[in-house]
Amino acid sequence: MSISVFELFKIGVGPSSSHTVGPMVAARQFVHDLDKRGQLQAAERVQVHLYGSLALTGVGHGTDMAVLMGLLGEAPDTIDVDSIDDRLEAIARESQLALGGSHPVTFDRNRDLIFHGDQFLPQHANGMTCQAYRGGELLFERSYFSIGGGFVLSEEDFAHKEEIATLLPFDFSSARQLMELCDKHGWTIAELAMANEKAFRSEREVTDRLWHIWQVMDASIQRGCRRQGILPGGLNVRRRAAELYRELSGQSEEERRSGLAILDWVSLYALAVNEENAARGRIVTAPTNGAAGVIPAVIAYYVNFVHDPAVHGDLKDQVVKFLLTAGAIGMLYKKNASISAAEVGCQGEIGVACSMASAGLAAVQGGSNQQIENAAEIGMEHNLGLTCDPIGGLVQVPCIERNTMGSVKAINAARLALRGDGAHVVPLDSVIETMRQTGIDMQSKYKETALGGLAVNAVNC
């Protein structure tokens, strides 16, 4: 399955790529599929069944909201996030929604949005089945799977997912192949990634869109540094980024750059993004929402504390190099393991984001391809076995702080790799396979079900 960097970095809405972005995309796709069959106007009622992890942590992750917005025809990258609450209230009040924004059908949330927490569809832990009815007659039914990072496959697509691809001129399925292709053509990882992206769009468009991705990331940092209050969901988690920002902003330039003070800023950047994510704000899936703060925090670290135009050149070019490199590494995890916490635990989210960020940072600091691969390997090796156990099914505790840890680890991984010559004992392919096997062995209660770990123990403390 060929992947574009823009499938790993998608502008969306919080709090979860697999539980919010994916279900919104799937519900919208169902309406589109229904319309393609010529049955949209005949539908009088729709019903959505959520299974497995989507059911167990769906309310905390906004899956119910996402499904309804998707049925209305909304997309994660364009929805007006400030209008959501009013539209949900209107659906509840009128027991009706407009499919695709135009065709009204009856919809009783208690009857037509059904959570099957004790059932998993065989294809994936994040499954949902959408049904359209005319009277008591079932017109159309289709299952969809949110496989992580906002990626969605229908039941039919899932059976043939390896065939769904754009032919890339320099395709690779392993880190070894990636490195061999780079050696053959004398390219950096970013240059090879750009050559592949040009199969989809022009180099200018790739560059401009990646720069826009960073601008959206940076905007989420800036918003998170301004907003205060309690995050929604019932845990009464207080937003901390704004207070930390005020404290750090009072530092002198010497204090700001001394010792470990820089890491306080890195933590601030990650906190700001993931508090925005938890508050259902606009963020970039990178490669998931739960891990959306890691890559922006590491780029912000580079922009604010490392980049020197005289040494590193144009900032836009460097940010594009970072994202292309990180994207190439993320593709390896997507192809050969998973970026879904419901499949492999949080090692597939924070772990992958850390690995991607490590590689990107090593690249913009002049690392060789071997050093970049080493950085990516270190970034994952020390996240192996990381569980996903969100308290209350919310992307808040431990998720927000976990992004700060992933960001700091990524910086350290890049520094370690750049201090070496690129030689390392464990190849990146081996650590990816280890992550996959670890995810298979991990008990389901530690994979985004809120049935184990902190999700059950913290409430007893």
Side-chain angles (χ1 to χ4, degrees), residues 70 87 152 155 290 336 416:
R87 299 170 79 180
V152 171
E155 190 168 9
N336 298 313
L416 282 171

Side-chain angles (χ1 to χ4, degrees), residues 138-189:
L138 178 64
L139 289 176
F140 176 54
E141 173 183 272
R142 180 160 286 170
S143 293
Y144 302 86
F145 302 92
S146 179
I147 62 173
F151 287 81
V152 171
L153 295 175
S154 70
E155 190 168 9
E156 293 79 5
D157 292 339
F158 204 96
H160 305 285
K161 60 182 179 179
E162 299 304 325
E163 301 170 15
I164 304 171
T166 296
L167 185 61
L168 297 179
F170 307 100
D171 205 1
F172 55 91
S173 297
S174 67
R176 181 177 179 178
Q177 289 180 349
L178 171 61
M179 301 296 280
E180 289 174 348
L181 281 168
C182 287
D183 287 346
K184 177 181 178 181
H185 296 280
W187 286 338
T188 65
I189 291 173

Side-chain angles (χ1 to χ4, degrees), residues 93-106:
R93 182 175 60 251
E94 299 166 8
S95 295
Q96 178 178 285
L97 59 78
L99 291 180
S102 61
H103 178 64
V105 296
T106 61

Side-chain angles (χ1 to χ4, degrees), residues 106-128:
T106 61
F107 190 89
D108 182 324
R109 184 166 172 157
N110 293 325
R111 178 195 64 190
D112 295 322
L113 189 59
I114 305 170
F115 294 81
H116 301 276
D118 59 344
Q119 297 179 45
F120 287 74
L121 296 181
Q123 293 91 336
H124 195 277
N126 291 332
M128 56 187 281

